[in-house]
Amino acid sequence: MQSQLEAVDLDGFKLPVYGRPYSLVFCAGSPHVDPKTLRKEMMCGCAESLWRRDRARRVAGDGGRGMQGVYGADEVRRGGEAVKAAGARGGPRAPGGNSASPCRALSQRRRPAHHKAMRGWLVRCAGWWGGGARSRLRWLAALLCWGALCALALPRLQPPPRGGGARPHPAPPARLLLQSEPAASTPATPPPLPATDTRVLTEEELRADAERRLPSLPLAYWHKHKDDKNKYYKKKECAPFPSIYDLDFHNTYWQTMHSSEGVFHLYGAYLDVRNASRIGPAVRVLTVHDRIKPTLATHCQLWFEERDAPVVVRNLEYKYVWNSKWGNYRDRVLQPYLLACVLPAEVRHLVPASVSIVENPCDRATNNLRVHYDAPRPPAQRKEFAVCVKGLDFLHEDLSVRLVEWIELVRLLGADKVFFYELQVHPNITKVLEYYSARGDVTVTPITLPGGQPNLPGLQHMYLKKKTTHKRQMELIPYNDCLYRHMYQYRWLALLDIDEVIVPLEDADWSGLMRRALPLAVPAEGKPPRTSYHASNLYYLDSLQHEHSWEEGVPRYLHMLQHVYRTRNFTKPGQYVKAFHETERVLALHNHFPLACLGGACSSYALETQHARLQHYRADCVTALSKTCAELRAAPVRDTAVWRWRDALVARADAALRALGFLPPHR
């Protein structure tokens, strides 16, 4: 497009136009004109202007020669031809006998109405501009009005938004920008996300969590040596160090070894370096085996941090943790045993990291147990008392408040810590256990039944209620695990249920009771030293309390403080007793007595009934005493011996129950 501007005289007003006719501004701005028609009309417009100028110059006497100096020969020639062609078609004549502009008729005949209006407007504007100062003012006012009309009309001529949606809201006034658009300077607050746990544990944290959940797994030791190619016995095919991914796990907490003479389910391994042991330092392995009197030669592959190759020794013994007279004494029934892997002289000063039980020395093991050795480091001293509780089985029975009362009472009496084993419990009991675990007062260890015994909630409870002998045998696993894991930390262990407590009658706590009993329990000359001190059983039955009213001054929800009526007589000597076991001497524990002891026979001392007794809070007598229970219940006795700790117990139990949300805070 040519950029040079020319001036065309239009009725006395010199209108600036581009050098080419089709570049007129007032024509090119219209989107509704056909290009061919537009070109013709523009040429006519130019020709008309040239014709007018030519006529004026002829009058002046230059014959039109000046036109070529301004526009050029081609433009003049095309303009003249257009004028002649328009005149040949009979254009109108100008006043005074001269022919009017030949293109004017064509323009009036071909141009749309809005073009005519625009041309007329320009002509009038030109007249106004040439009429003096007053006309110029009218011209300026018209321009201002035209600009205002365009400013108002342009927003309405904008196309609607896509999709046919509503028009956007107008922008707020400038004085409201800071209030209405805070996001202009500050990022918008994102909507809240769901309350999920977004933590991602590292590999080290995952290992620590797995070791906490499964204490028998030597995960840290395996991770440190998993890429060690030299951990085998004599040759690579003989006793290689097993990967944890090749272990035969069973019911979560057990590992399995299949032999030519039955199956072994292994639960835990413990280093025993007690002075009373005649075999010297040894690793004890707690297991169940489906044979009685096993004769199979098994071997222990002992792994050390300081050695690449394992130390392989033969299992010394199968210590039977049961009595054949109590039932289930037959093959194909899982029996509890303690295995003994004696450390050779060259490694007796070392602590094994893990142990595997195999049938032949070079076998590739399918089990690998961490060896527990939790001796306190100097100058730490052994504490006095801890309590071990067998697997809790209270899935549909909410004993949470009774459990709080019992934990607070045994801690008042001197228990430093209570070690619980858990099968299936009510959610409120779980809440209580978590509360005391967070305080460091208890430790909870989940456990399952080995072999083909059920572990499904509900079904497991029915099984244990029906199969009482199987239940008694399986209870020995947590009891002995508790002994071997804590025998270096505590001098005395008491195996108690949560409905029974050993109550001292003349002393403030268990420490005072044992200081009183030890001089009295010195054995006769030639007799083995004492290994346990047991208290005789006395029942506090619910049915005895129901025959009487509530006790005043004691919260009704504290079961032991409310039940102060007991049977007149103790059960027979040695029946249903509970004891304090000396951890330095006992080898294998049962609910009531030690089954085996180090250095010789076991010897249990019966605490004088005027010094202490086992207060057993039950709904009724045990099934085995059903024939004599009526005699025991005859003539009950009101006995408030436990009220000696009433004030402290009520205060501590209420504080715990309020913290747990079981009591209103204002109480």
Side-chain angles (χ1 to χ4, degrees):
M1 183 180 293
Q2 188 172 342
S3 61
Q4 182 181 356
L5 289 174
E6 301 290 352
V8 177
D9 183 25
L10 186 61
D11 293 335
F13 171 61
K14 290 190 176 185
L15 180 68
V17 297
Y18 286 103
R20 298 218 176 251
Y22 52 84
S23 300
L24 290 172
V25 175
F26 68 88
C27 292
S30 174
H32 305 291
V33 181
D34 180 67
K36 295 181 179 181
T37 304
L38 178 62
R39 181 178 180 84
K40 290 179 180 180
E41 291 182 0
M42 285 181 172
M43 291 180 65
C44 282
C46 268
E48 183 179 9
S49 299
L50 295 174
W51 175 76
R52 287 183 180 233
R53 182 180 290 268
D54 183 59
R55 187 180 62 173
R57 291 193 178 183
R58 280 199 308 269
V59 174
D62 64 358
R65 290 186 298 273
M67 295 171 60
Q68 296 180 4
V70 177
Y71 296 104
D74 292 338
E75 283 84 351
V76 173
R77 179 177 53 80
R78 287 196 299 270
E81 291 175 356
V83 170
K84 291 178 182 180
R89 289 191 292 271
R93 299 186 65 83
N98 295 326
S99 297
S101 171
C103 292
R104 189 178 299 268
L106 176 63
S107 174
Q108 292 174 355
R109 193 168 56 246
R110 300 258 183 124
R111 289 177 183 174
H114 67 277
H115 280 207
K116 294 179 180 180
M118 185 175 291
R119 183 176 181 83
W121 180 82
L122 289 173
V123 172
R124 287 192 295 272
C125 285
W128 292 343
W129 184 265
R134 191 171 183 179
S135 298
R136 292 187 182 94
L137 289 175
R138 288 198 302 268
W139 168 249
L140 292 175
L143 285 177
L144 291 175
C145 293
W146 179 257
L149 289 174
C150 290
L152 293 174
L154 282 176
R156 297 179 177 273
L157 295 176
Q158 291 179 356
R162 294 184 179 181
R167 294 179 182 274
H169 295 288
R175 61 187 177 85
L176 295 179
L177 284 177
L178 293 178
Q179 302 177 13
S180 59
E181 296 184 3
S185 59
T186 304
T189 302
L193 298 175
T196 57
D197 190 352
T198 58
R199 296 176 301 168
V200 178
L201 297 182
T202 64
E203 185 176 350
E204 184 176 354
E205 291 173 331
L206 289 172
R207 289 197 305 271
D209 183 65
E211 286 188 327
R212 179 185 62 82
R213 295 174 181 270
L214 191 56
S216 64
L217 188 66
L219 195 56
Y221 178 72
W222 169 84
H223 179 75
K224 184 177 180 180
H225 298 283
K226 62 181 179 179
D227 297 324
D228 192 343
K229 305 301 183 182
N230 298 320
K231 296 191 77 64
Y232 52 84
Y233 186 67
K234 296 184 177 179
K235 56 182 181 178
K236 293 184 178 180
E237 295 78 16
C238 180
F241 182 62
S243 168
I244 62 168
Y245 304 126
D246 297 328
L247 303 182
D248 190 354
F249 291 98
H250 182 76
N251 290 355
T252 306
Y253 305 107
W254 304 79
Q255 297 182 41
T256 301
M257 191 269 285
H258 295 276
S259 72
S260 59
E261 297 183 12
V263 63
F264 292 82
H265 297 299
L266 311 169
Y267 184 77
Y270 323 89
L271 179 61
D272 186 356
V273 294
R274 290 176 290 179
N275 293 328
S277 176
R278 293 177 178 176
I279 63 175
V283 173
R284 310 276 185 181
V285 180
L286 188 59
T287 183
V288 294
H289 180 39
D290 59 351
R291 296 291 190 273
I292 59 173
K293 297 182 178 180
T295 59
L296 177 69
T298 53
H299 295 80
C300 311
Q301 297 173 351
L302 297 165
W303 299 93
F304 295 83
E305 189 70 54
E306 298 83 0
R307 300 168 64 99
D308 288 333
V311 174
V312 181
V313 297
R314 181 170 175 173
N315 170 41
L316 180 65
E317 64 175 344
Y318 294 94
K319 177 62 68 175
Y320 192 37
V321 191
W322 188 244
N323 191 310
S324 59
K325 298 178 181 179
W326 296 339
N328 272 358
Y329 191 68
R330 61 183 183 274
D331 287 338
R332 310 296 179 182
V333 175
L334 292 176
Q335 312 285 340
Y337 289 97
L338 267 175
L339 281 59
C341 306
V342 180
L343 299 185
E346 66 270 20
V347 293
R348 287 193 173 187
H349 63 288
L350 302 177
V351 177
S354 68
V355 60
S356 298
I357 304 299
V358 294
E359 184 170 356
N360 301 302
C362 283
D363 286 351
R364 181 183 293 271
T366 59
N367 59 85
N368 193 238
L369 299 172
R370 171 192 170 194
V371 176
H372 290 279
Y373 180 63
D374 301 319
R377 296 180 179 179
Q381 300 291 326
R382 283 200 307 175
K383 299 177 182 179
E384 282 196 288
F385 296 93
V387 175
C388 302
V389 182
K390 64 189 179 186
L392 296 176
D393 177 33
F394 302 107
L395 179 61
H396 301 294
E397 192 173 1
D398 186 1
L399 299 178
S400 54
V401 177
R402 290 186 60 174
L403 182 59
V404 168
E405 181 188 19
W406 181 84
I407 292 174
E408 295 295 350
L409 180 56
V410 297
R411 286 184 52 76
L412 279 171
L413 292 174
D416 175 72
K417 203 163 191 177
V418 183
F419 298 99
F420 288 96
Y421 291 79
E422 178 184 291
L423 288 169
Q424 311 287 342
V425 296
H426 189 278
N428 283 345
I429 295 179
T430 299
K431 188 176 181 180
V432 171
L433 295 175
E434 290 176 348
Y435 168 76
Y436 283 104
S437 295
R439 289 178 41 175
D441 297 334
V442 309
T443 296
V444 181
T445 302
I447 193 171
T448 57
L449 300 178
Q453 300 175 99
N455 288 287
L456 183 70
L459 179 60
Q460 183 188 73
H461 173 75
M462 293 188 293
Y463 172 83
L464 295 175
K465 190 174 181 179
K466 182 69 174 179
K467 299 280 191 176
T468 55
T469 305
H470 291 75
K471 176 183 177 181
R472 301 301 179 206
Q473 286 182 304
M474 294 305 106
E475 287 173 355
L476 301 183
I477 299 299
Y479 281 148
N480 285 278
D481 178 74
C482 187
L483 166 65
Y484 279 96
R485 289 184 61 181
H486 308 294
M487 61 185 176
Y488 302 115
Q489 302 167 2
Y490 297 96
R491 181 181 179 183
W492 308 100
L493 286 180
L495 313 185
L496 298 176
D497 295 336
I498 64 172
D499 60 355
E500 57 192 15
V501 61
I502 297 175
V503 178
L505 300 178
E506 298 181 357
D507 301 284
D509 52 24
W510 292 340
S511 294
L513 172 63
M514 294 308 296
R515 285 194 300 268
R516 180 186 299 272
L518 287 176
L520 301 174
V522 176
E525 187 177 353
K527 298 292 183 179
R530 303 295 187 184
T531 53
S532 300
Y533 302 79
H534 65 268
S536 299
N537 179 58
L538 197 60
Y539 281 123
Y540 284 71
L541 301 178
D542 291 355
S543 58
L544 300 179
Q545 176 64 35
H546 295 164
E547 299 171 2
H548 303 82
S549 61
W550 294 100
E551 297 294 332
E552 296 295 333
V554 176
R556 295 188 177 186
Y557 49 82
L558 296 182
H559 184 88
M560 289 184 289
L561 291 180
Q562 275 289 341
H563 288 73
V564 296
Y565 285 88
R566 62 170 176 82
T567 58
R568 180 170 294 275
N569 298 318
F570 291 85
T571 54
K572 292 180 180 181
Q575 280 189 338
Y576 307 104
V577 300
K578 289 299 176 71
F580 297 112
H581 302 283
E582 190 166 6
T583 57
E584 188 65 27
R585 295 269 298 128
V586 292
L587 176 62
L589 288 177
H590 181 259
N591 300 29
H592 306 292
F593 292 104
L595 292 172
C597 298
L598 297 175
C602 298
S603 175
S604 184
Y605 173 76
L607 296 169
E608 298 290 339
T609 55
Q610 69 268 23
H611 297 157
R613 64 194 180 200
L614 177 69
Q615 296 191 179
H616 199 166
Y617 296 85
R618 288 182 54 89
D620 210 339
C621 299
V622 295
T623 305
L625 296 177
S626 57
K627 295 182 179 179
T628 60
C629 189
E631 179 183 346
L632 291 172
R633 293 173 56 185
V637 178
R638 188 173 186 271
D639 188 337
T640 59
V642 75
W643 280 13
R644 295 172 59 202
W645 299 272
R646 176 177 59 181
D647 294 342
L649 180 56
V650 170
R652 295 174 66 161
D654 279 4
L657 292 172
R658 282 194 297 271
L660 289 163
F662 295 160
L663 280 181
H666 63 273
R667 183 176 178 85

